Amino acid sequence: MKEFALKGDIVFTSSMEEFSVHSSAYLVVEHGTVAGIYDVLPEKYKDLVVYDKGNALILPGFVDLHTHAPQFNQIGCGMDDELLSWLSEYTFPEERRFEDPDYARELYGAFVDTLAVCGTTRSVLFATIHKHGCELLVELLKNKGLSAYVGKVNMDTNAPDFLTEDTEQSLRDTEALIEHWKGGALVKPIITPRFAPTSTRRLLKGLGDIALKYRLPVQSHLSENRGEIAWIAELFPEHDAYYKVYEHYHLFGDTPTLMAHCVHLTDEEIAHLAKVDVMPVHCPDSNLNLTSGLMPARRMLNQGVRIGLGSDVGAGHAIFMPQVIVRAIQVSKMYAMQHPKDKALTLPEAFYMATKGGGQFFGKVGSFEPGYAADMLVIKTPSYKDRLSVVERLQYFIYHGDTSDISERYVAGKRIDSCEAYL
Ligand SMILES: [Zn+2]
């Protein structure tokens, strides 16, 4: 269907400051993008098909800028550990299982179905080192109709034998997948060194060269944990800051770049992030679960840094982005108690990060301004909530809602089939 309208209570954030609210209005979709929002449909749309959703909320789909598809089966495991022991005790043995195509298909299938059920219409994903598993994940996302960047993980040192790649083979596999995927409209490749400690200099150089050759975006992890930062200083003594390891190899801002966590950055490092427009991805659940720290989101916003949100499954335990929004706000409140100058995040700010803010990585995504991708969720709230305002019902959904409140999901104007959740 090329043109249609959804009618309901439309809410989105065109800026971080406040919600844009259009009560009982029409959201017109043409060729997969938003054509406009109208209180009364103009004459030119008199024959338009309208789906009246009553007083359901119509929101942009959620954008998860950092999560690990193969860690879906370890949610909740090992949460008494910190990052480095958690990786070796839980994550690496689990990622090894993705050598097995049957396991990869089963787990990635459950993960992709759950993304859809949660209303996460766009995501940026880490897979594993395994080429075949990466191909399966892309196929499942395409079949579901979801949009994503998928990264084949690269690691060639400081990891167990079963996850340590031959450097040249790792680069060849990465390039082969890019050649295979690069024409995709909704699912695309992203360069994904796991993090600097599991990368040789040769691997980082090779990945930077590939990123430049194909003009591909980059994702990795930065300054998540103090032990990790100390390890970087030992491994790469030629660089006096963690980010410089990536930057030296063209993996930090030469192409669009996401860096998960960024918990322990100095003011100078934050200023540099803003200058080269690298986006930190705030993963509050993960940072709490692995005792990594409180990300100084307000300090970054004040310096002009753009921030997205990530569920970071399986260090994060909630794949449902409204929960990540709530935790980002709660963490910022704890941070503000220790640093009174840095005010806590508001709900419009955190909602923006999970929609238009993160959506910028995909282009015109995450808002309902004209020309934006028609990624839409229809949210039904209980009838006893009808006396609340539109924004109050949104607040209820974000803080207390769950996937059963989402009755419809659309990506670029196309409805996602209903599917089973594995929550
Ligand atoms: Zn991560």
Side-chain angles (χ1 to χ4, degrees):
M1 190 171 304
K2 291 211 167 96
E3 296 181 1
F4 64 96
L6 292 184
K7 184 170 185 235
D9 289 340
I10 300 163
V11 191
F12 59 102
T13 43
S14 54
S15 76
M16 295 189 92
E17 280 73 48
E18 61 184 359
F19 289 112
S20 300
V21 180
H22 301 261
S23 188
S24 199
Y26 299 83
L27 195 161
V28 176
V29 176
E30 289 180 351
H31 306 292
T33 59
V34 176
I37 295 174
Y38 303 93
D39 291 334
V40 178
L41 272 183
E43 180 63 19
K44 66 175 174 175
Y45 292 129
K46 67 177 173 21
D47 297 326
L48 195 66
V49 176
V50 174
Y51 301 103
D52 189 345
K53 301 299 171 187
N55 73 342
L57 301 171
I58 299 173
L59 310 180
F62 293 112
V63 181
D64 186 345
L65 279 193
H66 181 77
T67 200
H68 295 256
Q71 295 175 21
F72 186 58
N73 207 18
Q74 67 174 95
I75 288 178
C77 298
M79 298 283 95
D80 294 333
D81 279 19
E82 292 193 18
L83 174 66
L84 299 178
S85 58
W86 173 80
L87 282 173
S88 55
E89 295 293 318
Y90 292 92
T91 304
F92 291 158
E94 176 62 21
E95 291 196 7
R96 180 185 198 174
R97 297 199 172 106
F98 288 77
E99 287 168 356
D100 173 3
D102 292 336
Y103 188 74
R105 184 172 287 282
E106 182 183 1
L107 260 295
Y108 281 154
F111 172 79
V112 168
D113 281 354
T114 305
L115 273 186
V117 168
C118 288
T120 303
T121 46
R122 312 255 171 177
S123 56
V124 185
L125 307 176
F126 277 56
T128 63
I129 61 167
H130 308 100
K131 185 165 170 257
H132 185 64
C134 294
E135 287 168 342
L136 277 173
L137 179 57
V138 168
E139 177 191 317
L140 289 159
L141 287 159
K142 283 184 176 169
N143 289 346
K144 184 59 70 182
L146 295 175
S147 178
Y149 282 100
V150 176
K152 177 220 170 303
V153 168
N154 304 90
M155 46 203 294
D156 70 341
T157 188
N158 293 321
D161 288 349
F162 53 81
L163 284 186
T164 302
E165 298 176 284
D166 171 77
T167 308
E168 300 309 318
Q169 188 63 46
S170 175
L171 295 169
R172 274 197 298 277
D173 284 353
T174 302
E175 204 157 359
L177 287 169
I178 290 164
E179 287 291 347
H180 191 55
W181 296 343
K182 66 182 179 185
L186 287 178
V187 184
K188 299 174 181 178
I190 181 165
I191 300 296
T192 306
R194 170 168 227 116
F195 66 155
T198 51
S199 313
T200 61
R201 290 165 181 77
R202 166 67 196 135
L203 182 69
L204 292 170
K205 178 176 185 328
L207 291 174
D209 290 346
I210 294 173
L212 290 180
K213 177 178 172 185
Y214 294 93
R215 301 305 305 169
L216 288 181
V218 174
Q219 63 174 346
S220 196
H221 299 88
L222 180 69
S223 295
E224 176 175 0
N225 164 292
R226 292 197 190 280
E228 170 207 18
I229 296 165
W231 196 20
I232 287 286
E234 281 173 35
L235 292 171
F236 298 93
E238 67 273 33
H239 298 295
D240 60 7
Y242 189 165
Y243 78 84
K244 291 184 183 176
V245 179
Y246 297 121
E247 189 165 64
H248 183 74
Y249 297 104
H250 303 291
L251 295 165
F252 201 80
D254 284 14
T255 58
T257 303
L258 299 176
M259 285 287 153
H261 305 299
C262 299
V263 174
H264 304 286
L265 298 182
T266 64
D267 280 340
E268 293 73 33
E269 288 173 314
I270 292 172
H272 189 71
L273 228 67
K275 184 173 158 218
V276 297
D277 199 19
V278 165
M279 268 182 98
V281 186
H282 185 17
C283 305
D285 271 341
S286 167
N287 296 337
L288 293 173
N289 289 334
L290 296 182
T291 325
S292 299
L294 306 180
M295 197 244 217
R298 175 66 64 197
R299 200 146 59 85
M300 292 188 175
L301 291 177
N302 287 346
Q303 294 207 45
V305 173
R306 300 187 296 145
I307 302 175
L309 293 186
S311 64
D312 197 22
V313 161
H317 59 279
I319 196 168
F320 185 51
M321 287 305 286
Q323 284 301 307
V324 179
I325 292 172
V326 170
R327 227 85 69 211
I329 295 168
Q330 291 175 326
V331 163
S332 76
K333 288 176 177 172
M334 289 172 68
Y335 190 87
M337 288 165 74
Q338 298 168 350
H339 305 85
K341 279 191 199 150
D342 292 324
K343 281 196 303 189
L345 298 176
T346 64
L347 180 60
E349 286 174 327
F351 185 90
Y352 177 95
M353 289 177 187
T355 54
K356 185 175 176 179
Q360 291 170 352
F361 201 70
F362 290 81
K364 285 191 153 188
V365 166
S367 180
F368 289 149
E369 295 152 80
Y372 272 69
D375 295 359
M376 306 175 291
L377 305 177
V378 178
I379 313 289
K380 297 245 166 86
T381 52
S383 56
Y384 59 81
K385 297 280 177 194
D386 287 354
R387 289 176 193 81
L388 301 182
S389 71
V390 173
V391 168
E392 286 169 338
R393 285 191 291 123
L394 173 71
Q395 291 167 340
Y396 158 80
F397 169 69
I398 297 294
Y399 274 83
H400 189 262
D402 61 37
T403 57
S404 66
D405 298 317
I406 308 177
S407 60
E408 294 173 29
R409 304 136 179 96
Y410 298 78
V411 176
K414 189 159 180 286
R415 188 157 173 194
I416 304 297
D417 293 337
S418 61
C419 43
E420 202 178 341
Y422 295 85
L423 288 173

